[in-house]
Each structure stands twice: as C-alpha cells, then as structure tokens.
Amino acid sequence: MKKIEAIIRPSKLKAVQQGLKDAGIPCLTVLPASGSGLQKSFTKIYRGTEQSLTLQQRTMIICVVSDENLDKCVDAILDNGSDGQVGDGKIFIYNVEDAIRMSSRVRGNEAIH
C-alpha cells in the first residue's frame, strides 16, 4: 500500500476529486495548507497597508491506495491538478505498512477498498 500526499492549488480540488473518482479512487482526505516553494512572494493590501506574503494558500489531498492503483492515482492528480506552471504543487509517495478499518477490524488491502 502507498500513501499519496498531493499539495495542489485550491482551485484544482474539484477537478482532481472528479479525476480520482473517475479512476476508481473515491476515498481521499482534504486539508487546507499554506507554504512556500519556488514561486516568489506576492503583495496583498490588508487594512490599507501593503504586505508582502511568502506563504501561498494550497490544499493537501491524502489518499491511501493499493500498489496496483498507485499509477492511476498519481496520473489522475497530475492530469487534473497541473497547469504546467511554477506553483502547481508537489506529490509525495510513502510506503504504508498496514491499514485497519475500525468498524470491522479488517486489515491490509481489504481495509482500503
């Protein structure tokens, strides 16, 4: 099993969610995130004062998938979450040792299906 963490632009969330659903991967967790990367800071006017901000608002999507679904999940995120521009985001992939569905105590790949 693999855990995929994708940091994307908030405006791309619905497209990525639909792409994952179409790929047969409907289960995901979504968190608000902010961070900085290769893009430059931007200015924003707040209460009449111009401020330079370096943290961009982003959305983090977390999916745990079987090894067989890894490429489908990554491709769905890339196809629907990227414009080919700096600041599109990043995808991180981790190994997952085990998963347990709490309601039935089922373990392993069966717990994530």
Side-chain angles (χ1 to χ4, degrees), residues 36-54:
S36 62
L38 297 176
Q39 60 206 111
K40 309 244 187 277
S41 65
F42 63 100
T43 58
K44 183 177 181 181
I45 296 178
Y46 179 73
R47 295 189 178 184
T49 305
E50 189 173 296
Q51 297 179 344
S52 178
L53 303 172
T54 56

Side-chain angles (χ1 to χ4, degrees), residues 90-109:
K90 298 243 184 332
I91 298 175
F92 303 97
I93 301 170
Y94 307 93
N95 288 319
V96 174
E97 290 188 31
D98 201 3
I100 303 167
R101 182 178 296 143
M102 293 175 61
S103 62
S104 62
R105 297 183 183 231
V106 173
R107 296 182 81 130
N109 277 334

Side-chain angles (χ1 to χ4, degrees), residues 14-83:
K14 288 189 186 227
V16 170
Q17 186 176 5
Q18 187 61 49
L20 288 169
K21 188 175 180 182
D22 293 344
I25 304 166
C27 301
L28 66 134
T29 301
V30 178
L31 302 168
S34 50
S36 62
L38 297 176
Q39 60 206 111
K40 309 244 187 277
S41 65
F42 63 100
T43 58
K44 183 177 181 181
I45 296 178
Y46 179 73
R47 295 189 178 184
T49 305
E50 189 173 296
Q51 297 179 344
S52 178
L53 303 172
T54 56
L55 296 179
Q56 301 283 328
Q57 297 302 312
R58 294 292 181 254
T59 299
M60 178 183 285
I61 297 173
I62 302 170
C63 299
V64 178
V65 298
S66 63
D67 291 336
E68 301 85 45
N69 286 334
L70 175 63
D71 290 333
K72 285 196 312 187
C73 185
V74 170
D75 289 342
I77 294 168
L78 288 171
D79 292 343
N80 295 286
S82 175
D83 290 330

